Amino acid sequence: MDAKITKQRLANLLAYDWLKILVTIAVAVLALALLFTMTATNPTTAQTFTIYGYTDVRVGTENMSLDTRLEEKKVFSYDILKISSESFYGNSYSAAAYTARRAAGEGTVMFLSALDKAGKASKDSELYRNTSEGTYAGDEVYSGFYDPQYFLETEIKEYLETFFGADLSGELNQDKASARFLERNGKDKRFRTKEQKAAGIESEKQRLIKLRNDYVAVRTAFEQEKLVYLAINKESGETKELKWEEVCPENYHVAAFGLGKLKSISKLYYFEYTEPAEEEGGEGKNKTTGESICLTVFRNNRKKDFDLCYETVSFLNYLAENYA
């Protein structure tokens, strides 16, 4: 049988079967794409560190590249597979979009302002509106936000003490680190083989060590007054700054991390308000500030992946180091 490929036969094939060839190629590409999609590791909501800017704050000059810089500087651990940033300012659909995101359990932290549109700390500020019903501090208060003081000084501290001892200065407990990795990632597609699991356990150890170091650095940032807690009056909406381990006054609850002492925070987010006119009937002046910017922490209450929300400590350390 003469099966030799000639120019004539090739020309005839292309002339009569070109459509079949294109369809075959398209089917093959689609099959490969489907295969990679099915076998790839898709980040869970917990493995996505999502940063929101609420409807009252404008984006600064460095906002658009924030997620890229966080990735390049390796701010988070191996288990944060995706970093995303989204602003809800200046869109008529923003409030609805934010509500939909939160209904789906999305979001890790959120920037917003402690001032109202007249530049005062009042019940009209978005910080008050979002946290007026209280923040979660290990009690029965149902809230979508953490009390940041409880979050940092109690919950994360106790979590780290599990691995490093009471003063966080001990050696990492290797067995507990390995057990935590297997509990969270034992069925993860990234760690199927024995070798992959061993590498994953080493990454988990490094994650915990880095988290401990970032925690100590954040505590130092509080001592240097780069960071403060922002407590809000339950009735008036007035705010009060609290230092590390400072007791929250009666009739207040701790609502956010205050970032106003970070002089360059307006490069990420800033607040615009109208200062009242000096004379009656006059026009107020529009002013911008970064001093009212604060950071809230969402409480998503994920049982298996709860410790990934503690990566917020690394984000706080990044802010203190780069915007002070």
Side-chain angles (χ1 to χ4, degrees):
M1 181 179 178
D2 183 10
K4 185 178 180 180
I5 297 177
T6 65
K7 290 183 179 180
Q8 183 62 40
R9 289 176 174 173
L10 187 58
N12 290 337
L13 177 66
L14 294 175
Y16 293 103
D17 294 328
W18 63 270
L19 185 58
K20 293 180 181 179
I21 294 172
L22 289 179
V23 171
T24 302
I25 293 173
V27 170
V29 170
L30 183 62
L32 285 173
L34 184 61
L35 176 64
F36 285 123
T37 300
M38 293 176 64
T39 57
T41 298
N42 296 316
T44 64
T45 306
Q47 290 171 325
T48 303
F49 195 94
T50 305
I51 305 160
Y52 290 153
Y54 199 55
T55 57
D56 61 328
V57 291
R58 297 173 178 250
V59 297
T61 56
E62 294 186 2
N63 181 272
M64 295 298 291
S65 58
L66 176 60
D67 49 355
T68 302
R69 290 198 311 280
L70 291 172
E71 188 171 351
E72 289 175 349
K73 291 179 178 291
K74 299 186 184 302
V75 171
F76 303 115
S77 73
Y78 76 102
D79 222 6
I80 298 298
L81 304 182
K82 182 181 178 182
I83 305 169
S84 66
S85 178
E86 184 175 1
S87 169
F88 295 101
Y89 177 82
N91 189 317
S92 58
Y93 300 102
S94 294
Y98 170 75
T99 301
R101 302 281 192 279
R102 291 302 299 143
E106 298 176 3
T108 309
V109 295
M110 183 170 71
F111 289 89
L112 71 172
S113 174
L115 300 181
D116 60 23
K117 293 180 180 180
K120 298 179 180 180
S122 73
K123 295 174 71 172
D124 292 326
S125 73
E126 294 300 345
L127 177 62
Y128 181 86
R129 288 174 175 172
N130 275 274
T131 65
S132 60
E133 295 182 0
T135 50
Y136 177 76
D139 46 26
E140 296 181 355
V141 174
Y142 178 80
S143 175
F145 296 93
Y146 267 108
D147 173 321
Q149 189 174 38
Y150 167 81
F151 177 72
L152 202 59
E153 296 183 21
T154 300
E155 191 163 303
I156 298 179
K157 183 173 180 287
E158 291 177 355
Y159 171 76
L160 289 172
E161 285 176 344
T162 303
F163 303 99
F164 295 99
D167 58 357
L168 303 185
S169 61
E171 295 293 324
L172 173 66
N173 187 311
Q174 307 281 324
D175 292 338
K176 289 184 178 179
S178 299
R180 184 64 196 128
F181 169 81
L182 294 173
E183 181 181 352
R184 193 175 71 250
N185 289 327
K187 297 182 180 181
D188 194 298
K189 295 178 182 179
R190 295 172 294 167
F191 310 108
R192 289 177 173 174
T193 68
K194 183 178 180 180
E195 291 77 14
Q196 289 172 335
K197 278 187 169 60
I201 289 173
E202 288 304 312
S203 295
E204 179 71 5
K205 293 174 183 178
Q206 294 305 312
R207 183 188 78 83
L208 290 166
I209 291 171
K210 182 180 184 303
L211 189 62
R212 187 269 308 270
N213 294 341
D214 287 344
Y215 181 86
V216 173
V218 166
R219 187 169 60 193
T220 301
F222 267 88
E223 293 168 357
Q224 296 172 345
E225 297 188 6
K226 295 178 181 179
L227 299 172
V228 295
Y229 298 115
L230 210 57
I232 192 165
N233 188 287
K234 298 176 182 179
E235 295 179 357
S236 68
E238 293 178 343
T239 58
K240 181 178 178 60
E241 294 181 354
L242 302 179
K243 298 179 181 179
W244 185 269
E245 294 185 337
E246 186 175 354
V247 177
C248 183
E250 188 177 354
N251 206 36
Y252 280 74
H253 64 262
V254 187
F257 291 104
L259 307 180
K261 297 182 184 298
L262 302 179
K263 300 302 182 183
S264 300
I265 196 64
S266 57
K267 292 181 179 179
L268 287 181
Y269 288 99
Y270 65 93
F271 181 65
E272 183 175 87
Y273 65 97
T274 302
E275 189 177 68
E278 295 180 0
E279 299 178 359
E280 187 176 349
E283 291 187 3
K285 295 181 180 179
N286 289 338
K287 290 195 172 184
T288 61
T289 183
E291 294 182 1
S292 69
I293 298 298
C294 52
L295 187 76
T296 53
V297 182
F298 292 118
R299 181 174 180 261
N300 295 312
N301 198 25
R302 302 185 185 101
K303 294 182 179 179
K304 180 182 177 183
D305 299 326
F306 69 92
D307 43 2
L308 294 186
C309 78
Y310 299 157
E311 303 261 342
T312 297
V313 171
S314 299
F315 183 58
L316 279 170
N317 186 38
Y318 169 81
L319 294 177
E321 287 183 344
N322 290 274
Y323 293 94

